[in-house]
């Protein structure tokens, strides 16, 4: 943790030390409302994914605007949000290991907790832990709908897991997890639509197979910022797990918008300062790998098409410019991160800015919650 803050509430934007993670509150609030409006009046609810922001202040605002709960990716992440008062959390992951299971069932004493399975051994482990601590867990069968990561094949394998869950009274079969991660970043809208169309059919077929055995499938959950309009309109999904919509990043910004897609705005930035000019064509800023994740590519320089972020070292970012006079030592710049989730995890707090003034500092309380 840094020994001091990058800014204080009331400071002007110009006084923020760098590198700092900036949240444009105007754009952020418009993004929140656009998602709420996109689901209003429909039989589809938002379960906002908190791995994008790791910040209780944001999760509480999402719930206040209608989110039925949140998603977390790790049990330790969920613990931060339970402590902040969030009472309905789905861990969108398989959980293995006695220590993690003890933590999970402990959280279930005060919050409704869900978890995923894709193997019979996981079901047995969850049942044993839940019974030992006299709690109930919501359990979802994860279906591989195209990500080729976790999840069982659609159809019979899912039926068998659902049967096993129902046979263990400490567990409640809650539905199906059908998230297609790679589809979120298919650039062409027709490619995203086709990928989600296939996922929808896999979910529909699996639901029918499970219900044919007399087991109700109450929830089919999944979707992300890049595809949720397709799941929303499918007639199959009744819950979506979008997270990045509140911030947006360069990678999502590279998607071509299709008809009906929602125009979310960039709200998350890394403020940085030009610290070196040793060449007429290059500049170095103080935001490198430890300030902005580059797993999805380099950040872009906000509203500066004349500048290109070329490469990152630990504490340095190298920019190129064709105009030697375009940058001076000490100039501030705003970067749009390539990938918002891991970038947020690099910081202790969000510097929340309204217009030209710092309004608040929000702790990224679940930063580093990897267990």
């Amino acid at each position: 943790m840094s020994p001091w803050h990058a800014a204080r509430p009331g400071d002007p934007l110009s006084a923020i030390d760098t590198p700092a993670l900036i949240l444009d509150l105007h754009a952020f609030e418009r993004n929140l409302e656009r998602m709420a409006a996109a689901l209003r009046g429909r039989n589809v609810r938002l379960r906002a994914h908190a791995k994008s922001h790791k910040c209780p202040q944001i999760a509480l605002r999402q719930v206040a605007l209608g989110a039925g709960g949140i998603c977390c990716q790790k049990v330790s992440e969920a613990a931060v949000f339970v402590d902040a008062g969030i009472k309905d959390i789905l861990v969108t992951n398989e959980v293995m290991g006695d220590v993690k299971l003890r933590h999970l069932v402990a959280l279930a004493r005060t919050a409704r907790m869900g978890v995923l399975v894709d193997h019979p051994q996981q079901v047995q482990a969850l049942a044993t832990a839940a019974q030992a601590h006299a709690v109930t867990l919501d359990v979802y069968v994860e279906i591989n709908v195209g990500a080729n990561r976790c999840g069982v094949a659609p159809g019979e394998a899912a039926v068998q897991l659902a049967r096993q869950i129902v046979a263990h009274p400490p567990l409640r079969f809650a539905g199906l997890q059908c998230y297609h991660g790679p589809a979120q970043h298919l650039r062409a809208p027709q490619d995203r639509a086709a990928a989600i169309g296939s996922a929808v059919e896999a979910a529909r077929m699996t639901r029918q197979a499970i219900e044919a055995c007399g087991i109700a499938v109450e929830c089919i959950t999944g979707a992300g910022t890049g595809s949720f309009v397709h799941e929303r309109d499918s007639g199959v999904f009744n819950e979506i797990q979008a997270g990045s919509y509140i911030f947006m990043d360069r990678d999502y910004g590279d998607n071509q918008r299709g008809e009906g897609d929602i125009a979310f705005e960039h709200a998350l930035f890394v403020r940085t300062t030009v610290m070196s000019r040793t060449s007429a064509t290059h500049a170095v800023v103080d935001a490198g790998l430890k300030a902005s994740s580059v797993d999805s590519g380099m950040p872009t320089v906000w509203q500066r098409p004349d500048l290109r972020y070329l490469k990152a070292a630990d504490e340095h970012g190298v920019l190129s410019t064709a105009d030697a006079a375009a940058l001076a030592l000490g100039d501030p710049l705003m970067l749009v991160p390539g990938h918002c989730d891991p970038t947020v995890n690099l910081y202790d707090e969000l510097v929340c800015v309204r217009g030209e003034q710092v309004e608040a500092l929000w702790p990224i309380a679940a930063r580093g919650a990897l267990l």
Side-chain angles (χ1 to χ4, degrees):
M1 181 176 290
S2 173
W4 52 76
H5 299 288
R8 297 171 298 177
D11 282 350
L13 181 65
S14 59
I16 300 174
D17 201 2
T18 62
L21 192 64
I22 307 296
L23 182 62
D24 178 337
L25 288 172
H26 285 309
F28 163 73
E29 289 164 358
R30 287 191 292 267
N31 288 341
L32 285 177
E33 178 52 39
R34 283 171 183 148
M35 178 59 80
L39 299 180
R40 200 169 288 136
R42 298 172 181 267
N43 189 31
V44 181
R45 74 171 190 167
L46 173 66
R47 182 182 287 279
H49 217 312
K51 74 180 179 70
S52 297
H53 55 73
K54 292 179 170 276
C55 176
Q57 282 84 348
I58 293 178
L60 291 167
R61 283 164 173 78
Q62 291 172 313
V63 170
L65 272 174
I70 66 168
C71 300
C72 291
Q73 202 68 6
K74 295 298 183 89
V75 176
S76 58
E77 198 173 65
V80 173
F81 291 96
V82 170
D83 188 59
I86 304 293
K87 296 302 183 183
D88 191 336
I89 299 177
L90 170 59
V91 178
T92 51
N93 218 342
E94 287 72 22
V95 175
M96 287 299 295
D98 291 343
V99 175
K100 285 183 176 61
L101 289 169
R102 284 200 301 271
H103 289 314
L104 177 66
V105 295
L107 294 176
R109 295 193 187 104
T110 56
R112 181 173 183 172
M113 297 299 301
V115 65
L116 309 185
V117 297
D118 61 5
H119 193 281
Q121 185 177 337
Q122 297 155 352
V123 179
Q124 184 61 59
L126 289 168
T128 300
Q131 187 168 23
H133 291 80
V135 299
T136 299
L137 293 173
D138 286 352
V139 182
Y140 297 71
V141 176
E142 182 168 13
I143 310 300
N144 180 5
V145 293
N148 297 322
R149 188 172 57 185
C150 299
V152 296
E156 184 58 27
V159 171
Q160 294 306 315
L161 282 175
R163 286 181 182 275
Q164 185 183 2
I165 294 164
V166 170
H168 289 82
L171 309 181
R172 190 181 81 86
F173 174 62
L176 304 177
Q177 162 88 359
C178 301
Y179 175 63
H180 194 326
Q184 307 309 310
H185 303 285
L186 295 173
R187 299 305 179 209
Q190 64 270 24
D191 292 340
R192 294 195 298 276
I196 299 306
S198 176
V200 166
E201 287 310 307
R204 189 196 314 273
M205 179 268 286
T206 303
R207 180 185 66 190
Q208 290 171 346
I210 294 173
E211 290 184 338
C213 299
I215 300 172
V217 181
E218 295 179 9
C219 180
I220 296 183
T221 184
T225 296
S227 74
F228 81 92
V229 294
H230 301 295
E231 286 94 343
R232 179 197 67 183
D233 297 341
S234 68
V236 173
F237 283 75
N238 55 6
E239 186 175 88
I240 66 167
Q241 299 176 358
S244 299
Y245 75 94
I246 57 168
F247 293 148
M248 298 301 284
D249 52 33
R250 195 230 71 249
D251 196 9
Y252 269 116
D254 286 346
N255 282 358
Q256 301 166 30
R257 193 180 308 155
E259 184 178 354
D261 284 348
I262 309 301
F264 297 113
E265 303 175 49
H266 292 299
L268 186 77
F269 304 92
V270 173
R271 185 171 172 87
T272 187
T273 301
V274 178
M275 56 186 286
S276 177
R277 281 301 316 258
T278 60
S279 162
T281 58
H282 289 79
V284 179
V285 295
D286 61 2
L289 291 171
K290 294 179 182 177
S292 182
S293 173
V294 300
D295 63 298
S296 294
M298 297 297 158
T300 54
V301 185
W302 179 241
Q303 296 181 334
R304 290 295 300 267
D306 58 313
L307 302 177
R308 188 161 68 94
Y309 193 109
L310 290 179
K311 61 181 180 179
D314 282 1
E315 311 290 357
H316 303 80
V318 179
L319 310 183
S320 69
T321 175
D323 182 358
L327 288 175
L329 287 173
D331 279 355
L333 296 168
M334 298 280 263
L335 306 178
V336 179
H339 188 180
C340 56
D341 300 17
T343 296
V344 168
N345 196 51
L346 297 170
Y347 290 85
D348 294 323
E349 60 194 9
L350 284 158
V351 179
C352 302
V353 171
R354 193 175 298 279
E356 295 295 314
Q357 190 173 55
V358 176
E359 183 171 299
L361 302 179
W362 289 349
I364 302 170
R367 178 194 179 186
L370 303 176
L371 301 175

